[in-house]
Amino acid sequence: MEPRGDVYDRNCPSRTIANHATGHWGSLVLGKLLDGTKRFGELRRSVSGVSEKMLAQTLQALERDGLVHREVHPVIPPRVDYTLTPLGTHAAKQISDLFGWIEENLPNFMAAQAEYDSRRSENV
């Protein structure tokens, strides 16, 4: 049996995979793919703010890590579909749960930020 990874060890490859899956764009792409197969343009429109270059790099990293499957259809014009693999589905569900919790608790976060900002402005 292979040894388990340790994301807290800077030399462990699990840290790179964690960064791809939980990084800014990776987590958003995985979350959107949880809704089902998407084409590149659909992902770009649904993940507001991502550039074509960054989306391409993110999808390549997620595909390399085994989280996303890329299927090229032999048609003209070319058509490429992206779907989650079983590993990707599991990761995306975890991320989706976290995102849901954040959205549900947004008023609490906003209140905490306002309180922090108010304390900071008093001490300046």
Side-chain angles (χ1 to χ4, degrees):
M1 182 173 172
E2 297 270 333
R4 182 183 170 122
D6 180 2
V7 296
Y8 297 101
D9 177 353
R10 70 178 175 186
N11 297 313
C12 184
S14 65
R15 185 179 283 192
T16 301
I17 296 164
N19 185 46
H20 294 159
T22 63
H24 184 73
W25 300 117
S27 61
L28 295 173
V29 167
L30 289 172
K32 281 298 179 179
L33 286 174
L34 194 55
D35 296 336
T37 300
K38 298 220 181 308
R39 295 173 71 179
F40 187 89
E42 290 176 291
L43 279 170
R44 178 129 191 265
R45 285 187 297 277
S46 64
V47 179
S48 179
V50 68
S51 69
E52 281 190 33
K53 180 181 178 183
M54 187 53 62
L55 180 57
Q57 289 174 349
T58 299
L59 286 166
Q60 287 174 343
L62 295 173
E63 181 183 6
R64 183 173 185 266
D65 293 339
L67 298 170
V68 169
H69 174 72
R70 179 179 183 262
E71 184 174 357
V72 180
H73 299 278
V75 295
I76 297 178
R79 185 176 133 213
V80 180
D81 290 330
Y82 295 92
T83 57
L84 293 173
T85 64
L87 276 174
T89 299
H90 187 79
K93 285 179 180 175
Q94 304 297 314
I95 290 166
S96 179
D97 286 347
L98 176 60
F99 285 174
W101 177 81
I102 290 169
E103 291 169 347
E104 184 178 307
N105 285 283
L106 185 59
N108 297 324
F109 291 120
M110 300 300 290
Q113 290 173 351
E115 181 184 334
Y116 176 88
D117 292 346
S118 134
R119 284 194 323 263
R120 294 279 297 171
S121 65
E122 292 171 1
N123 295 328
V124 173

